[in-house]
Amino acid sequence: MTDVKRIVLSSDHAAIELRQKIADHIKALGFEPVDIGPTTPESTHYPKHGEAAANLVAKGEADLGIVLCGTGQGIMMAANKVKGIRCGVCSETFSAKMIRAHNNANMLSIGARVTGQDLAIEIVDAFLTTEFEGGRHGTRVDMITEIEA
Ligand code: RB5
């Protein structure tokens, strides 16, 4: 995915360490991480962090987004409320590839209390290195977009 460069990252308090590890990893791969925090460990609210990351993707200020919370579920739900966002939670690499290849997902969510850090990195790699296949999958993704309208 040669045209993907800017990756926004956000999380709640449950996933700060994993988020920073992912940011370092993707930077080493040549991506530009846009880490919008938070950086301090106080309890916070995942919806606002999911929304903030999703807004950057929806506005085209980031190519893709990675969000994290304890399960990955809450922050995924929040991100998906932003128009134009297709975010999936993944705890294994097959789904991380398929949400790009078939669903043209523009955001990935991971649960830091579900998925070990090394596997999370593999999931991120699978997501960032898989391209959308288009074709019949494009028709179906268009149908998702029509639901928003
Ligand atoms: C926070 O305790 C936790 O609820 C949150 O990280 C996430 O798992 C919600 O979906």
Side-chain angles (χ1 to χ4, degrees):
M1 193 184 304
T2 52
D3 54 342
V4 170
K5 285 276 178 268
R6 302 192 90 211
I7 314 294
V8 61
L9 296 112
S10 189
S11 75
D12 72 359
H13 54 279
I16 289 174
E17 184 186 327
L18 178 57
R19 196 193 72 236
Q20 290 171 339
K21 185 174 174 128
I22 292 171
D24 290 345
H25 174 73
I26 66 173
K27 187 170 185 181
L29 292 179
F31 294 97
E32 181 188 346
V34 180
D35 189 345
I36 59 171
T39 54
T40 55
E42 294 83 32
S43 181
T44 183
H45 305 298
Y46 60 80
K48 65 180 181 181
H49 301 294
E51 181 186 14
N55 279 333
L56 292 183
V57 175
K59 286 191 281 186
E61 293 176 23
D63 297 305
L64 294 172
I66 299 172
V67 286
L68 310 107
C69 64
T71 60
Q73 301 290 349
I75 202 162
M76 174 274 291
M77 292 177 195
N80 276 322
K81 293 296 181 188
V82 175
K83 194 171 181 181
I85 295 303
R86 292 175 301 280
C87 182
V89 182
C90 294
S91 55
E92 31 70 33
T93 57
F94 178 74
S95 294
K97 290 178 190 165
M98 296 307 284
I99 64 170
R100 288 288 306 133
H102 285 192
N103 311 119
N104 201 15
N106 47 18
M107 294 187 72
L108 167 70
S109 182
I110 300 173
R113 293 174 178 161
V114 177
T115 304
Q117 292 196 351
D118 290 348
L119 177 55
I121 292 292
E122 290 183 23
I123 290 167
V124 167
D125 288 347
F127 179 73
L128 294 180
T129 59
T130 304
E131 297 204 46
F132 180 47
E133 291 176 7
R136 69 184 188 281
H137 304 298
T139 303
R140 294 162 185 164
V141 172
D142 288 347
M143 290 171 72
I144 295 175
T145 304
E146 283 165 21
I147 297 169
E148 292 179 334

